[in-house]
Amino acid sequence: IQAAKDLKIGKGKRIVTILYDSVRNYLTKFLSDDWMVEQGLMDVDKLQQYTGQWWWGKRVTDLDMETPQTVRDTTTIETAIMIMDRNNLEYLSVLDFSGEIVGAVTLGSLMSQMTIGKVNLGSSVNKALYKDTKMIEIDCTLGRLSRILESESFVLIVKDQRLHKANDNVEIKRTVFGVATRLSLLRYISQSADDRTEVNGHFHSHLNGTA
């Protein structure tokens, strides 16, 4: 009321008032560094000073990533299951007709959809996509990747490609560069750690003796 008087808004006008509350309902989100990093809302490099991990600022391209196994979104669920069974996989990347990544299908997503009768073996995989498929760019740090992998078993590493068409038109297409898993990250950390030793507070490589 006082604001209306001070601003001389006058009669017959509407005033919208926004009232804030406490963050009690968001304690596991906005007050969680892990959640903020996973959503890309916090600079993970700033957290390195707290973790002290030498690999924190490294890029996902340093990993020995798995080669992505992909299917088209029109592939039947029966075929997808056969591919995963034959190759001992738990997920497949899914591409649309243009070859752009649209997500992934997992054994978990297939089972949850099939057991309730929402899809069947003849349904296409785009009917049972894992909706929470995490995708990150190739310049993502291992620090951020590690936070995502705390809740996800795999992450798709994607890269934008520029497709030049007629009349100087350029189409940006997102493609799968690789797949990062908990195992690939742990393997990198453990193998690289074997080649490093701390001497007088500095890390040196066993291979070349340089810091």
Side-chain angles (χ1 to χ4, degrees):
I1 295 177
Q2 186 61 48
K5 293 179 179 179
D6 294 340
L7 297 174
K8 299 179 180 180
I9 293 179
K11 296 181 179 180
K13 300 297 180 64
R14 293 182 179 180
I15 301 176
V16 178
T17 303
I18 300 177
L19 303 177
Y20 63 88
D21 60 3
S22 67
V23 295
R24 179 178 60 84
N25 294 332
Y26 312 101
L27 291 178
T28 60
K29 291 187 176 181
F30 300 113
L31 297 186
S32 168
D33 287 346
D34 291 345
W35 187 90
M36 295 289 284
V37 169
E38 181 179 335
Q39 303 303 316
L41 301 175
M42 179 179 289
D43 186 359
V44 294
D45 294 335
K46 294 181 179 179
L47 294 179
Q48 185 174 8
Q49 58 181 312
Y50 302 110
T51 64
Q53 301 296 333
W54 60 267
W55 49 267
W56 191 265
K58 300 292 185 179
R59 305 296 171 180
V60 293
T61 49
D62 292 323
L63 295 179
D64 183 15
M65 290 181 287
E66 297 181 6
T67 301
Q69 302 286 332
T70 62
V71 294
R72 289 298 178 92
D73 55 1
T74 54
T75 302
T76 65
I77 289 177
E78 181 178 20
T79 299
I81 293 176
M82 290 175 59
I83 294 174
M84 287 189 280
D85 183 38
R86 184 167 60 244
N87 295 279
N88 194 28
L89 300 171
E90 293 191 358
Y91 50 83
L92 291 169
S93 304
V94 181
L95 310 178
D96 64 12
F97 71 96
S98 68
E100 185 168 358
I101 180 69
V102 295
V105 62
T106 69
L107 289 178
S109 65
L110 291 176
M111 185 177 70
S112 63
Q113 297 297 318
M114 292 188 69
T115 53
I116 62 175
K118 193 171 183 179
V119 296
N120 54 54
L121 292 176
S123 303
S124 57
V125 293
N126 63 353
K127 301 294 184 180
L129 288 177
Y130 177 52
K131 297 181 180 180
D132 294 326
T133 301
K134 300 297 182 183
M135 293 182 281
I136 58 177
E137 303 288 344
I138 60 175
D139 61 348
C140 177
T141 63
L142 296 185
R144 183 184 173 200
L145 174 65
S146 68
R147 295 303 175 97
I148 298 176
L149 288 176
E150 288 183 4
S151 58
E152 301 293 333
S153 59
F154 71 97
V155 178
L156 300 182
I157 312 302
V158 297
K159 180 180 180 180
D160 289 339
Q161 294 184 341
R162 299 172 63 88
L163 177 61
H164 294 267
K165 296 185 174 182
N167 301 323
D168 294 328
N169 291 327
V170 178
E171 178 182 343
I172 305 299
K173 181 180 296 186
R174 174 161 288 191
T175 58
V176 183
F177 181 81
V179 180
T181 64
R182 294 168 178 170
L183 181 59
S184 61
L185 177 60
L186 290 174
R187 183 183 293 121
Y188 174 81
I189 294 174
S190 59
Q191 289 181 349
S192 298
D194 289 340
D195 296 330
R196 299 167 65 88
T197 183
E198 186 174 5
V199 180
N200 295 326
H202 298 282
F203 283 109
H204 293 262
S205 170
H206 289 308
L207 297 178
N208 56 27
T210 59

